[in-house]
Amino acid sequence: MFREVTLVDGTGAPPRPADVLVSGDRIASISAPSARTRVAAARIIPGEGRVLAPGFIDTHTHGDPMSDSFDAFLAMGVTTITLGVDGGGPRIKGDLDLRGWMRAADRAPLDLNVVALASHGTLRRAANIPDSVRRPDAAALARLEAQLDAELRAGAFGLTYGLEYVPGIYSQTPELTALGRVVARHDGVVMSHMRSENDDEIETSIDELIASAGPARPHISHLKVVFGKGEARARALLDDLAAKRRAGIDLTADAYPYNAGFTGIAILFPQWALPPTDYATILATRRAELRDYLEKRMIRRGGPEMLLLGTGKHAGKTVAQAAQEAGLAFPDFLIQLGPNGGSGAHFTMDQALQDVLLLDPMVAISTDGGPGMRHPRATGTYAKLIEDYVVKSKRIPIEEAVRKATSFPARILRLTDRGTIRVGAKADLILFDPAKVRARSTYLDPFARAQGFDLVMVGGQAAFETGQRVARAGRLLRATRPG
């Protein structure tokens, strides 16, 4: 039993004092605090005025909890993650079918709860569609739809696209629209890494998502405006999204509180140099053209100082630094790395703009992170939300910050038994003092864990306490369909 907590229940309602009783994996009762109330409980946890909130639900996560440790996520209050994002996700080696991975996850001890999504790129490969194919024929499209239908029937919550990556980059609207109709039949969500997140293309990319999702619910992954500047630009984009919602489109988004993305350096390369094109042939026949393209592309993105490499032997160095150490001009260094040469933090966003997007009521909080990622979002997102936006700047009240990280993502995913503290709901809970929450990680020290979340409970069981994981209490969640 939690005694004398400050209850922030996830709905957006103001904080209130309460006692909360957990029985098994569910919340049994919520009452006003009373020192005279006597309850037979295995454990009494004194709240001492600390906030008790639902566990945070991350709508965009990388990694595989059957092989990776998600302790750093527990340390910042996350109790549920969403996998299969950007068109790709965890699979059993040699098996492209999500159902095989889900069966294995059912049997595995998991650090936290997992929501699985079908992944467009993996579906394509499972349907034996070559990456370079722009328009699958009728037979290939039928295989693709059948595979998606099977994964949704097995409990996947929706579908994701990675339209800036191979093979999503090659797909066209008829293919995506056909898949959107399948998702709609299952009341699923269609999440997408946009075709482009650039300032001059983001609205067009969002329109493509809406059109391709069709009757299914469209969701914008890690909402941002690359190269955009200022609060006015953010408000203009949010006004456009609000107009779409007034027109009847159930459009949502998520975002993280950092001004750098983290992705593969392949996004610097032209489509004609990406797999399955033979890169050696490109170097032999179009090297000068490629060099010119990379130079202009990198300069437009702020120059080689604005890309901090996060993988391989150059991790922790900017492209400018790594190129200098290699004795190369930065375009030649990028050519040497090649499109599969690693990932890094791309500093292409304006913080003032991103803050307006982040704090919009229709934008959920996500990490877009995973274990081992050299980006502070993978270890600090939710702590930074509390520390910077609630406590320091007071730009958002605690109840709204919690809502954006709990009940709102639960609504997006259709998680009906999580995201709020109410009688009968699953007991995914976090206990913390907002004034003591710290996001300790930085771009140069990305693995420092968050501090200040004293107890993280998953399914009624203490999973993280006194700064360490104490149990693997998570499980794979499966979507329940109408009827």
Side-chain angles (χ1 to χ4, degrees):
M1 182 176 191
F2 292 90
R3 277 201 182 277
E4 298 182 344
V5 298
T6 299
L7 182 63
V8 179
D9 65 10
T11 66
R16 67 184 191 275
D19 289 346
V20 177
L21 177 65
V22 173
S23 178
D25 66 349
R26 295 185 181 271
I27 297 164
S29 69
I30 303 170
S31 59
S34 174
R36 294 185 300 274
T37 302
R38 304 181 71 85
V39 176
R43 181 181 179 188
I44 302 292
I45 301 171
E48 300 171 334
R50 290 174 292 177
V51 166
L52 184 70
F56 298 144
I57 299 170
D58 185 358
T59 53
H60 194 102
T61 325
H62 297 272
D64 185 342
M66 287 195 288
S67 56
D68 304 324
S69 168
F70 278 82
D71 291 5
F73 280 69
L74 289 169
M76 57 177 166
V78 177
T79 57
T80 301
I81 58 172
T82 306
L83 300 181
V85 294
D86 294 341
R91 294 293 187 275
I92 298 297
K93 186 176 181 180
D95 182 3
L96 294 173
D97 194 318
L98 178 62
R99 291 173 292 178
W101 183 87
M102 294 174 79
R103 287 191 293 270
D106 280 332
R107 301 187 298 269
L110 305 176
D111 293 337
L112 31 57
N113 299 319
V114 177
V115 166
L117 298 165
S119 309
H120 172 237
T122 311
L123 288 168
R124 259 181 154 247
R125 290 162 182 164
N128 295 313
I129 301 173
D131 285 354
S132 60
V133 169
R134 267 67 168 175
R135 297 182 69 92
D137 60 25
L141 199 56
R143 295 195 304 273
L144 189 60
E145 292 177 40
Q147 182 65 34
L148 173 58
D149 184 75
E151 294 187 6
L152 292 169
R153 288 181 184 277
F157 284 73
L159 172 67
T160 73
Y161 298 132
L163 300 182
E164 202 172 20
Y165 307 129
V166 175
I169 194 171
Y170 302 128
S171 61
Q172 297 182 5
T173 300
E175 173 187 346
L176 304 180
T177 301
L179 296 179
R181 288 193 292 266
V182 176
V183 177
R185 291 200 298 268
H186 293 271
D187 190 33
V189 63
V190 176
M191 295 187 175
S192 183
H193 177 113
M194 297 291 99
R195 182 82 66 179
S196 172
E197 297 170 328
N198 292 352
D199 187 24
D200 58 344
E201 297 173 310
I202 183 64
E203 281 90 355
T204 300
S205 295
I206 293 170
D207 288 341
E208 179 190 30
L209 166 62
I210 293 169
S212 63
R217 295 174 283 115
H219 178 85
I220 305 163
S221 293
H222 41 69
L223 180 64
K224 62 176 75 76
V225 183
V226 173
F227 310 131
K229 299 290 183 183
E231 295 182 2
R233 177 65 181 101
R235 293 193 182 97
L237 177 57
L238 292 173
D239 287 347
D240 184 55
L241 302 186
K244 296 179 190 306
R245 286 191 286 270
R246 287 194 298 270
I249 299 166
D250 189 3
L251 177 64
T252 54
D254 58 53
Y256 50 78
Y258 296 91
N259 66 352
F262 189 94
T263 192
I265 65 170
I267 67 167
L268 301 174
F269 286 72
Q271 191 175 123
W272 46 262
L274 297 178
T277 301
D278 181 61
Y279 189 60
T281 300
I282 293 295
L283 295 185
T285 61
R286 304 178 69 174
R287 183 186 180 97
E289 184 181 359
L290 177 61
R291 188 186 194 281
D292 181 63
Y293 182 98
L294 290 171
E295 182 173 30
K296 291 176 179 176
R297 173 86 163 150
M298 190 77 261
I299 289 173
R300 188 189 178 200
R301 295 174 69 85
E305 299 83 5
M306 294 294 104
L307 173 50
L308 181 67
L309 296 169
T311 55
K313 65 181 182 180
H314 303 295
K317 299 173 184 175
T318 67
V319 166
Q321 291 168 332
Q324 184 178 30
E325 289 181 7
L328 296 171
F330 79 81
D332 297 310
F333 175 74
L334 291 172
I335 287 174
Q336 184 182 86
L337 285 181
N340 294 323
S343 300
H346 301 247
F347 291 84
T348 56
M349 293 178 276
D350 176 60
Q351 192 67 59
L353 186 158
Q354 288 303 126
D355 281 353
V356 173
L357 298 181
L358 179 83
L359 298 179
D360 184 77
M362 295 301 291
V363 176
I365 306 300
S366 71
T367 65
D368 193 6
M373 180 183 287
R374 294 189 65 88
H375 192 301
R377 69 191 188 194
T379 49
T381 289
Y382 295 94
K384 184 176 175 65
L385 174 70
I386 302 300
E387 181 183 9
D388 287 359
Y389 295 87
V390 174
V391 176
K392 289 183 178 178
S393 69
K394 303 187 187 318
R395 296 186 64 178
I396 185 172
I398 185 66
E399 60 267 27
E400 175 62 4
V402 169
R403 184 195 69 84
K404 286 165 63 65
T406 58
S407 67
F408 187 48
R411 180 179 85 75
I412 292 167
L413 293 166
R414 299 296 194 261
L415 287 171
T416 58
D417 58 357
R418 287 173 169 79
T420 59
I421 298 179
R422 66 187 190 281
V423 173
K426 292 290 187 180
D428 294 345
L429 303 169
I430 55 177
L431 184 67
F432 63 99
D433 177 352
K436 295 181 179 179
V437 170
R438 298 287 183 273
R440 299 170 54 244
S441 54
T442 66
Y443 290 99
L444 295 179
D445 184 14
F447 304 127
R449 289 184 186 174
Q451 290 181 342
F453 293 94
D454 300 323
L455 175 64
V456 179
M457 179 175 282
V458 178
Q461 185 175 349
F464 187 90
E465 194 171 9
T466 63
Q468 61 185 348
R469 177 176 51 77
V470 293
R472 287 191 169 93
R475 66 184 186 90
L476 177 69
L477 308 181
R478 292 179 185 260
T480 55
R481 307 300 183 194

